[in-house]
Amino acid sequence: KPLLQCKRISQENNVDILVKPLENQEVAVCFFNRGSSPITASYDLSNLALDDSRVELPEAMAYVATNLWDENLEAKVITPNLESGNIPGHGVSVFRIKAAQSGDTDKLAGVKFHTEKMVNTQESFKVSAEVENLGTVTMNDLKAVIELPEGFT
């Protein structure tokens, strides 16, 4: 299917966020500063499929973001929260995003906690954890700690 033009998915605080689906389930994200002063912005990549149905970026615990305006084209493994960095007045920050896969970095694990239902204070509940090793180094003796607010058991 043809890859279409970009789409504006957000317009907030003088920053437009534009996305364009790419091949291989990747996406380009552009932060455009419409103002004259430098600014920073962020975007939760887990919302991409909701904000643009054309996007096929898989949901992931981590992503690889390549800053296309960086002369070194350095790729960084990030959480789903994409940070623009400093955007000059009337400037842009542009990133190529793909879901992180095992081997994209040495040491990285994603952890998701799940409960069966919403819980109230003084109510016991079970929590399960899903751990995904995204690094090349084997994880040993993994420990997860959950601290609950006062009143929860």
Side-chain angles (χ1 to χ4, degrees):
K1 68 184 176 186
L3 297 177
L4 304 174
Q5 299 299 314
C6 68
K7 175 183 176 184
R8 182 173 53 203
I9 58 170
S10 176
Q11 190 175 19
E12 215 173 288
N13 299 326
N14 276 339
V15 176
D16 288 357
I17 300 176
L18 309 163
V19 298
K20 181 180 185 336
L22 303 173
E23 294 179 322
N24 302 319
Q25 296 183 313
E26 296 182 13
V27 66
V29 178
C30 173
F31 295 91
F32 171 53
N33 180 358
R34 292 180 287 111
S36 57
S37 300
I39 196 167
T40 61
S42 64
Y43 180 74
D44 184 347
L45 294 170
S46 61
N47 292 328
L48 262 177
L50 297 172
D51 291 338
D52 187 344
S53 61
R54 304 171 305 150
V55 171
E56 297 177 353
L57 183 71
E59 185 177 334
M61 292 185 196
Y63 295 89
V64 176
T66 303
N67 183 341
L68 300 178
W69 257 224
D70 178 6
E71 63 186 41
N72 298 321
L73 290 177
E74 181 180 351
K76 295 182 181 178
V77 176
I78 62 168
T79 67
N81 191 46
L82 174 62
E83 301 284 340
S84 69
N86 191 44
I87 311 167
H90 305 292
V92 297
S93 289
V94 182
F95 298 88
R96 184 178 189 117
I97 308 294
K98 69 175 187 172
Q101 299 174 351
S102 182
D104 283 334
T105 187
D106 290 340
K107 298 177 183 176
L108 179 67
V111 181
K112 286 184 182 178
F113 291 99
H114 306 277
T115 61
E116 296 173 355
K117 60 181 181 168
M118 296 295 291
V119 294
N120 298 307
T121 58
Q122 305 303 324
E123 182 180 0
S124 295
F125 59 97
K126 292 182 181 181
V127 175
S128 63
E130 174 187 345
V131 179
E132 183 178 357
N133 185 1
L134 297 169
T136 57
V137 176
T138 302
M139 293 187 294
N140 295 312
D141 301 321
L142 181 67
K143 295 178 184 175
V145 176
I146 300 174
E147 294 183 10
L148 300 173
E150 191 173 318
F152 286 86
T153 57

